[in-house]
């Protein structure tokens, strides 16, 4: 079944560690997004990509980096994790303009 | 700047009562607006979009350009409607979300 899959689902890491969150999709969509969800703040856009050679910053990209290794894969990295990056992270995919976005199950990240 | 505002963090109603979840936006062009829903332990999913003008699970939303609003309505709430609801705006090249409203429907 075509889907959007995030790994890991849960992760606890220490302050200062590098961590990578991965997203893969079998929908064949060109656009991929990374959001973080915090209580009271909703979903905020971190990075987005329209194809393998296209990477764009969202509203809260500081402290994060991304890699679009293939059309189907979009990874989010925290180079040096800090506690206020503790959040629920969502990957989403979309085909073309103004269409439905499909979300992964989310990755719950805790930085201690 | 383009923005989506959902003024209510929590909305509590009893089963059978009408529901209105508010969404206001700021956008200079013609907006493309959506409502997404997140049920407990499930991923976000599209509920409806303004261009389709359809009713999903009894919910409707009308775009009011004069008031820059896209409120979500349902005449009779059901317990299974309890969820987190996000209004979203497609802004040229990305999808922007509001802060969300949690709807609680009591029996």
């Amino acid at each position: 079944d075509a889907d959007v899959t995030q790994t890991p689902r849960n992760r606890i890491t220490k302050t200062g560690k590098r961590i990578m969150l991965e997203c893969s999709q079998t929908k064949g969509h060109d656009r991929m997004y990374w959001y973080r969800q915090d209580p009271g703040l909703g979903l905020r856009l971190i990075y987005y990509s329209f194809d393998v050679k296209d990477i764009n910053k969202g509203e809260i990209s500081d402290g994060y980096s991304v890699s679009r290794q293939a059309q189907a894969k979009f990874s989010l990295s925290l180079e040096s994790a800090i506690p206020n990056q503790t959040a629920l992270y969502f990957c989403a995919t979309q085909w073309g303009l103004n269409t439905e976005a499909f979300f992964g199950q989310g990755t719950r990240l805790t930085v201690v | 700047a383009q923005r989506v505002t959902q003024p209510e963090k929590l909305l509590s109603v009893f089963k059978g009562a009408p529901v209105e979840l508010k969404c206001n936006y700021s956008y200079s062009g013609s907006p493309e607006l959506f409502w997404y829903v997140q049920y407990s332990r499930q991923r976000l999913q599209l509920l409806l979009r303004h261009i389709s003008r359809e009713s999903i699970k009894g919910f409707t939303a009308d775009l009011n350009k004069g008031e820059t609003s896209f409120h979500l309505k349902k005449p009779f709430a059901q317990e299974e409607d309890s969820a987190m609801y996000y209004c979203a705006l497609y802004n040229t090249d990305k999808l922007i979300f509001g802060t969300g409203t949690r709807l609680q429907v009591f029996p």
Side-chain angles (χ1 to χ4, degrees):
Chain A
D1 192 19
D3 206 354
V4 182
T5 303
Q6 292 182 233
T7 55
R9 295 292 310 278
N10 291 281
R11 180 74 180 266
I12 300 174
T13 192
K14 293 183 178 181
T15 298
K17 292 291 187 181
R18 184 179 187 274
I19 183 169
M20 179 182 288
L21 310 183
E22 298 187 339
C23 177
S24 62
Q25 52 119 343
T26 57
K27 290 187 169 295
H29 289 172
D30 53 351
R31 295 168 180 241
M32 298 187 74
Y33 301 82
W34 275 106
Y35 293 89
R36 64 176 280 177
Q37 184 184 45
D38 299 276
L41 298 178
L43 277 83
R44 292 181 292 166
L45 183 61
I46 306 172
Y47 272 96
Y48 59 107
S49 167
F50 293 162
D51 64 37
V52 173
K53 296 181 180 178
D54 178 80
I55 300 291
N56 303 281
K57 292 184 177 181
E59 58 181 309
I60 54 164
S61 58
D62 288 348
Y64 301 95
S65 63
V66 291
S67 173
R68 185 82 183 266
Q69 303 97 317
Q71 188 191 33
K73 295 184 184 296
F74 192 37
S75 301
L76 176 71
S77 294
L78 286 67
E79 298 301 326
S80 180
I82 56 176
N84 78 357
Q85 291 177 313
T86 293
L88 188 56
Y89 290 84
F90 286 102
C91 172
T93 72
Q94 188 180 35
W95 176 252
L97 298 173
N98 190 27
T99 59
E100 179 178 357
F102 291 85
F103 285 80
Q105 321 95 303
T107 295
R108 185 168 297 282
L109 177 66
T110 303
V111 183
V112 297
Chain B
Q2 290 79 12
R3 185 174 297 162
V4 177
T5 303
Q6 294 179 251
E8 304 143 326
K9 289 187 176 181
L10 174 66
L11 183 63
S12 299
V13 301
F14 286 101
K15 177 183 175 181
V19 169
E20 182 179 65
L21 289 83
K22 291 182 168 46
C23 172
N24 289 89
Y25 66 91
S26 61
Y27 186 63
S28 55
S30 295
E32 302 293 346
L33 289 154
F34 304 80
W35 277 97
Y36 281 81
V37 60
Q38 186 179 26
Y39 299 104
S40 180
R41 300 190 190 89
Q42 294 186 28
R43 60 184 80 190
L44 274 88
Q45 56 188 282
L46 179 67
L47 181 62
L48 54 80
R49 68 186 87 180
H50 92 272
I51 57 172
S52 61
R53 301 183 64 81
E54 57 189 343
S55 173
I56 303 295
K57 299 184 179 183
F59 285 97
T60 59
D62 291 319
L63 177 61
N64 185 323
K65 291 186 178 181
E67 296 183 357
T68 61
S69 68
F70 187 56
H71 303 328
L72 184 68
K73 300 178 182 179
K74 185 169 183 176
F76 307 103
Q78 302 299 314
E79 291 180 66
E80 55 266 29
D81 296 328
S82 296
M84 194 74 182
Y85 291 81
Y86 289 97
C87 183
L89 167 70
Y90 191 79
N91 166 23
T92 307
D93 61 353
K94 55 187 178 289
L95 198 55
I96 297 173
F97 287 84
T99 51
T101 298
R102 180 167 298 282
L103 174 64
Q104 289 182 331
V105 182
F106 295 109

